[in-house]
Amino acid sequence: QVQLVESGGGLHQAGDSLRLSCAASGRTFSTYAMGWFRQAPGKEREFVAAINWIGSSTNYADSVKGRFTISRDNAKNTLYLQMNSLKPEDTAVYYCAGRSRVATAVRGDEYDYWGQGTQVTVSS
């Protein structure tokens, strides 16, 4: 069992940078692939980024490629999402997710554990 707790959201202006963190409990974090998803008001949850168990492979949604960077620190049981050049369309609740596989995945139904989410609001 893995518990995930996101932090770092808030209100920002377009062009700002922001780093989200996801703290994981349990000893198995280092063997899990992890991902970030987001859900904007009135929209379906969408994939943002994913990283494999050791951090050697990543995937990004086209909408964030070149602006967001996913990383992990297995010694600290923590997942990160560095968000640069924020846009109003990045406004959403951001969720971290974990899957009991080492390889990345882009579909939400491939993940086993979810955090409660952290709100990111970007004003123009």
Side-chain angles (χ1 to χ4, degrees):
Q1 187 80 13
V2 174
Q3 292 186 327
L4 305 172
V5 179
E6 303 93 337
S7 62
L11 176 62
H12 294 270
Q13 292 189 331
D16 282 356
S17 294
L18 172 66
R19 189 176 79 163
L20 302 182
S21 298
C22 173
S25 65
R27 300 178 181 178
T28 54
F29 173 80
S30 62
T31 65
Y32 282 29
M34 301 293 295
W36 287 99
F37 290 77
R38 67 186 182 185
Q39 187 167 20
K43 295 187 177 181
E44 293 187 353
R45 183 180 62 196
E46 66 174 359
F47 168 76
V48 175
I51 189 166
N52 71 344
W53 68 291
I54 202 171
S56 60
S57 177
T58 57
N59 298 96
Y60 294 94
D62 288 343
S63 59
V64 306
K65 202 171 292 183
R67 298 189 298 122
F68 291 7
T69 302
I70 188 171
S71 63
R72 65 190 299 161
D73 186 336
N74 286 346
K76 296 182 178 180
N77 276 14
T78 304
L79 176 73
Y80 302 101
L81 184 67
Q82 178 66 42
M83 306 164 66
N84 297 331
S85 302
L86 285 168
K87 302 177 180 180
E89 51 263 44
D90 294 321
T91 295
V93 177
Y94 283 72
Y95 299 91
C96 72
R99 66 192 301 259
S100 53
R101 299 287 189 275
V102 298
T104 61
V106 301
R107 295 198 336 251
D109 62 4
E110 295 180 284
Y111 286 81
D112 306 300
Y113 304 102
W114 293 84
Q116 294 299 308
T118 185
Q119 176 72 47
V120 173
T121 303
V122 183
S123 63
S124 57

